């Protein structure tokens, strides 16, 4: 069997089966590993990799934007657990022809994304690369014991919510790849792709409400990310496709170029908004901006996104399979 047959999530499940988590710890399968500590806190640890040609195009993204995104997408994992980030480790494989000015601008962006949350860079590693840039970030965080919001906590009857509009980042990437003219709307979508904002504050507030149950960030597209919650929790979902939030910029750009905004919102990914479930009482009192898009059911009895016209293989991104 080849990796293309197994798929990204099949690979992750194969690894998880070999390395079960220690007692009282949460291991492979959530946004962060969770390690219990003696002082009533839990340590959160996550890591992510960005590879030139797969996650970014060096000729289009600025080093500042790349530095920002490298930090932000990892901080988003801590937000997804309802935790507070405490530090990062940065490892870089760099071609020797990069300039010092490029490195300085990259570090400027990395620092700018980290600064609002007072997250220090604590260490890492550097090595030379034959041609492509490879960036690996490990992020550390903490949360009070038992407060981390896991994917496996969704409950029947919960509302399914997201913290912001979806599809902007995917549309920004599509604009980059297709080389379309960059008016203000297109540039706004590209900025959403290159400069995501980790929802740390929102995650902390959501996790403080015990009636908020499951949570994760939307990195691979809500089409596949919601399925992770359903699989981990052993439940199903009913989604109101018309309630999926879309920005005005996305709607205008899609109308201009004939793109399908719903396909970008459901299967695009890299929005880094929070996807969470909560009961209706919690939803009534939440001050975190959010949109209700459906509810949790006992089991899945039909298509997850009815009337969307999207094939199952297009509902999210898989690194080891072609397309979305």
């Amino acid at each position: 069997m080849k990796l293309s047959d197994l798929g990204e999530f099949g690979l992750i499940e194969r690894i998880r089966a070999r390395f079960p988590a220690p007692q009282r710890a949460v291991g492979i399968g959530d946004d962060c590993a969770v390690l219990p500590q003696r002082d009533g806190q839990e340590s959160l640890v996550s890591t992510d990799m960005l590879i030139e040609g797969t996650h970014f195009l060096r000729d289009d993204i600025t080093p500042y934007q790349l530095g920002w995104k490298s930090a932000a997408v990892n901080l988003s994992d801590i937000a997804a657990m309802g935790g507070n980030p405490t530090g990062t480790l940065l490892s870089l494989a760099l071609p020797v022809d990069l300039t010092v000015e490029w490195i300085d601008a990259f570090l400027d962006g990395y620092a700018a994304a980290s600064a609002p949350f007072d997250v220090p860079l604590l260490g890492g590693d550097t090595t030379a690369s034959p041609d492509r840039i490879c960036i690996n970030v490990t992020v550390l965080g903490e949360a009070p014991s038992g407060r981390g919001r896991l994917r496996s906590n969704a409950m029947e009857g919960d509302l399914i919510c997201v913290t912001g509009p979806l599809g902007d980042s995917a549309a920004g990437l599509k604009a980059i790849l297709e080389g379309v003219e960059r008016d203000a709307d297109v540039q706004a979508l590209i900025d959403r792709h290159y400069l995501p904002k980790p929802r740390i504050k929102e995650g902390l507030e959501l996790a403080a409400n015990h009636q908020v149950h499951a949570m994760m960030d939307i990195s691979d597209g809500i089409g596949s990310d919601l399925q992770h919650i359903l699989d981990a929790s052993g439940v199903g979902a009913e989604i109101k496709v018309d309630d999926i939030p879309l920005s005005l910029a996305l709607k205008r750009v899609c109308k201009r170029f004939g793109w399908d905004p719903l396909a970008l919102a459901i299967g695009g990914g890299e929005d880094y908004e929070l996807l969470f479930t909560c009961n209706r009482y919690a939803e009534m009192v939440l001050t975190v901006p959010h949109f209700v898009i459906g509810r949790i059911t006992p089991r899945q009895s039909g298509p997850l996104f009815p009337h969307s016209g999207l094939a199952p293989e297009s509902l999210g991104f898989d690194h080891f399979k072609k397309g979305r």
Side-chain angles (χ1 to χ4, degrees):
M1 180 187 294
K2 296 180 180 179
L3 274 178
S4 57
D5 300 316
L6 186 62
E8 178 184 0
F9 305 112
L11 173 61
I12 293 171
E13 185 56 41
R14 195 177 186 89
I15 296 170
R16 178 166 60 175
R18 293 281 302 274
F19 298 94
Q23 188 175 7
R24 296 178 58 231
V26 175
I28 299 169
D30 256 281
D31 288 280
C32 295
V34 182
L35 307 175
Q37 302 298 329
R38 292 187 178 90
D39 60 357
Q41 294 287 110
E42 292 174 334
S43 294
L44 307 175
V45 185
S46 185
T47 190
D48 202 5
M49 188 179 297
L50 289 86
I51 297 176
E52 182 181 347
T54 299
H55 299 95
F56 63 91
L57 302 174
R58 197 197 318 180
D59 290 343
D60 192 87
I61 194 169
T62 69
Y64 180 96
Q65 291 169 328
L66 183 57
W68 175 290
K69 187 168 185 175
S70 299
V73 301
N74 282 274
L75 293 170
S76 182
D77 279 337
I78 300 296
M81 302 296 290
N84 190 49
T86 57
T88 61
L89 303 170
L90 172 64
S91 294
L92 299 169
L94 302 173
V96 296
D97 61 350
L98 282 181
T99 66
V100 172
E101 290 77 16
W102 190 99
I103 299 296
D104 286 342
F106 174 91
L107 295 175
D108 286 343
Y110 193 97
S114 305
F117 313 108
D118 296 322
V119 183
L121 176 59
L122 301 173
D125 192 21
T126 57
T127 188
S129 166
D131 51 10
R132 295 187 180 187
I133 298 167
C134 180
I135 302 159
N136 186 80
V137 177
T138 298
V139 61
L140 311 174
E142 62 182 10
S145 296
R147 186 175 288 186
R149 291 297 179 257
L150 308 181
R151 302 177 184 184
S152 57
N153 287 350
M155 301 174 64
E156 181 183 345
D158 276 358
L159 300 177
I160 302 169
C161 308
V162 294
T163 57
L166 307 181
D168 285 4
S169 177
L173 176 60
K174 188 174 179 68
I176 293 165
L177 296 177
E178 295 189 7
V180 303
E181 180 184 350
R182 298 188 181 188
D183 63 6
D185 282 337
V186 171
Q187 189 58 54
L189 300 178
I190 291 174
D191 288 345
R192 284 274 287 163
H193 180 69
Y194 280 154
L195 302 169
K197 296 181 179 179
R199 302 303 186 189
I200 299 292
K201 179 177 179 292
E202 293 86 344
L204 287 168
E205 182 173 339
L206 290 169
N209 189 322
H210 69 278
Q211 294 175 326
V212 173
H213 298 141
M215 188 159 66
M216 67 182 297
D217 68 341
I218 301 172
S219 57
D220 294 319
I222 195 172
S224 63
D225 287 336
L226 175 58
Q227 191 64 55
H228 296 329
I229 287 179
L230 304 184
D231 292 343
S233 299
V235 294
E238 290 180 353
I239 300 297
K240 294 183 178 179
V241 173
D242 291 342
D243 289 342
I244 293 175
L246 307 174
S247 72
L248 292 176
L250 177 65
K251 292 177 181 178
R252 288 192 292 259
V253 169
C254 287
K255 182 177 181 180
R256 177 181 169 191
F257 295 111
W259 300 345
D260 183 350
L262 203 55
L264 293 166
I266 293 174
E270 294 203 301
D271 292 299
Y272 297 105
E273 297 291 347
L274 297 180
L275 165 65
F276 65 95
T277 76
C278 66
N279 65 33
R280 61 187 181 92
Y281 303 105
E283 197 273 331
M284 292 170 60
V285 301
L286 288 177
T287 60
V288 172
H290 64 281
F291 301 84
V292 179
I293 64 170
R295 68 181 184 92
I296 296 294
T297 62
R299 63 183 181 274
Q300 197 60 38
S301 57
L304 189 54
F305 294 90
H307 314 302
S308 68
L310 300 177
E313 62 270 16
S314 69
L315 301 181
F317 182 76
D318 188 314
H319 285 282
F320 296 104
K321 293 184 177 180
K322 293 182 179 180
R324 290 183 180 269

